[in-house]
Amino acid sequence: MDPVSAKRTTLILIAAIIWSAVALGLATAAIIWFTHLTLQSGYLAMLAAAGLLVGAAKYKFMFKGLVEKNIGRIYALSPHKERVCVFAFQNVQSYLIVLVMMALGYIIRTSGLTKVALAPAYLAIATALFLGSLRYFNFLRQRSV
């Protein structure tokens, strides 16, 4: 047995946990920024609501399909084997996208953009990722029933 192999459900669980952890980190940053903004509460609520709505739309139109495609890809890997490489919870292209997104996150955080712009954007991405992680968890729950 290969030491870096795992069952497909484990790969789905890894994806779910990582998506949740990243969502939590982004949401935490957004909430901290929101709490430090000196804006009227109604305006802050509008910004937060916009972030949540954009995130929900991003999930519905982008991330939901990405999750479904990833689950299908994981189950199509080496169909004759019970276990596959643990790092296959995402494909090579996704690893590259993650690196680009991390670099872009650093660039926009240090670019001088105000937290008024960053907080809703981070909340939107966090929302989409969190909803995606719920889809992974729901898939696992349905398989165990």
Side-chain angles (χ1 to χ4, degrees):
M1 181 180 343
D2 185 358
V4 292
S5 67
K7 292 183 177 181
R8 286 162 176 78
T9 52
T10 303
L11 271 62
I12 303 294
L13 180 61
I14 290 169
I17 290 169
I18 288 176
W19 281 45
S20 294
V22 173
L24 179 62
L26 293 171
T28 300
I31 290 166
I32 289 169
W33 293 337
F34 276 125
T35 61
H36 288 91
L37 291 175
T38 54
L39 301 170
Q40 294 179 348
S41 60
Y43 189 60
L44 285 173
M46 278 185 5
L47 289 174
L52 292 170
L53 288 172
V54 168
K58 188 172 188 75
Y59 166 74
K60 181 178 180 178
F61 295 111
M62 292 176 64
F63 282 35
K64 184 177 180 184
L66 182 63
V67 169
E68 298 297 330
K69 185 177 175 181
N70 197 36
I71 290 170
R73 182 191 59 75
I74 288 170
Y75 276 90
L77 291 170
S78 303
H80 58 285
K81 293 184 178 181
E82 182 182 331
R83 300 167 71 87
V84 294
C85 178
V86 72
F87 298 107
F89 72 90
Q90 64 182 23
N91 62 19
V92 175
Q93 180 184 0
S94 294
Y95 279 105
L96 296 174
I97 290 170
V98 167
L99 290 174
V100 169
M101 294 298 287
M102 288 171 62
L104 286 173
Y106 174 78
I107 290 168
I108 65 168
R109 275 193 320 277
T110 59
S111 70
L113 278 175
T114 67
K115 302 303 187 229
V116 172
L118 290 176
Y122 270 54
L123 187 57
I125 297 166
T127 301
L129 285 169
F130 178 70
L131 293 172
S133 74
L134 291 179
R135 177 62 192 110
Y136 282 120
F137 284 122
N138 190 44
F139 175 83
L140 291 172
R141 185 181 59 78
Q142 288 175 344
R143 286 196 50 95
S144 68
V145 173

